[in-house]
Amino acid sequence: MPLDVSQLPLVGGHPVLDLVNTLERGGGSPHDFLSDSSALLRWSVRVGVLSDVEADQVDRAWCDEPAAAQAGLAAVRDIREGLHLVLLATITDADGATAGDPVAAGAALVALHQRWSGAAARARFVLDSSRVRLTYGTVPTMLVPDRIAGAALDVMLTADLTRVRRCPVREGGCGWLFLDQSRSGSRRWCRMADCGNVVKARRLTERRRAARTARS
């Protein structure tokens, strides 16, 4: 049975990379951990996109306008897919090939810009101590997608995208994306306790089986 979104490991190093990982794309039919608006709210609080108070406000607004809840969920899923395409295009595989499609990534950037433009139109400037910041999410029904659109802009403009990695599918990994924040820049697995150890154990079993076959 798939994990609930509240149990999903957060390995991305940034909320929007963890957002990308809420859709399992490997195997047969993809599993979406953001199955409904309730799951989206729980995930948003867990990763710090919303406070508990804000989540209650959004929940009430979405209960009053069910269509807005579905629109908010659809917007977040669109941002997730666009980010996945963009971030894949920043990853270079071991053989030097780009993991993604630059043309698809370019189209995704246009769509992401449109999402961010809408969020920025609803945002406001707030004086916070000695600095001014742009606060997204002034409309409760659009608070979640607007915050995520702002976070997507943040990661694309401020993160070192040469540090984006994909847990190696060809070697038995899950394909999740993460920011490699290790000093050496050599992190390969989403989590060594998960995919790394599973692959190592499988390789050890295969070597032992091959050794027994050779002896026999």
Side-chain angles (χ1 to χ4, degrees), residues 41 45 48-59 135-137 140 143 147:
L41 279 183
V45 171
V49 170
L50 299 182
S51 67
D52 288 325
V53 172
E54 289 171 330
D56 288 340
Q57 293 172 346
V58 173
D59 188 39
T135 300
Y136 298 94
L143 199 160
R147 286 275 175 86

Side-chain angles (χ1 to χ4, degrees), residues 24-66:
E24 286 191 342
R25 295 171 172 84
S29 58
H31 175 72
D32 193 345
F33 287 94
L34 301 182
S35 54
D36 53 28
S37 58
S38 175
L40 173 58
L41 279 183
R42 295 198 306 276
W43 177 86
S44 298
V45 171
R46 187 173 177 222
V47 299
V49 170
L50 299 182
S51 67
D52 288 325
V53 172
E54 289 171 330
D56 288 340
Q57 293 172 346
V58 173
D59 188 39
R60 288 195 296 271
W62 282 355
C63 285
D64 291 339
E65 299 182 52

Side-chain angles (χ1 to χ4, degrees), residues 190-211:
C190 62
R191 289 203 310 177
M192 181 54 71
D194 291 332
C195 291
N197 283 344
V198 168
V199 172
K200 282 188 173 183
R202 183 165 64 244
R203 287 176 178 170
L204 178 60
T205 300
E206 290 170 352
R207 287 197 299 270
R208 288 174 174 171
R209 184 180 297 117

Side-chain angles (χ1 to χ4, degrees), residues 67-106:
Q70 292 305 309
L73 178 61
V76 170
R77 286 172 171 171
D78 284 347
I79 294 170
R80 177 180 64 185
E81 187 57 29
L83 275 169
H84 184 244
L85 292 172
V86 170
L87 294 175
L88 278 185
T90 70
I91 300 172
T92 302
D93 288 339
D95 57 4
T98 301
D101 179 353
V103 175

Side-chain angles (χ1 to χ4, degrees), residues 130-147:
S130 60
R131 60 190 288 268
V132 175
R133 58 185 175 85
L134 187 63
T135 300
Y136 298 94
T138 60
V139 179
T141 54
M142 292 298 294
L143 199 160
V144 179
D146 284 359
R147 286 275 175 86

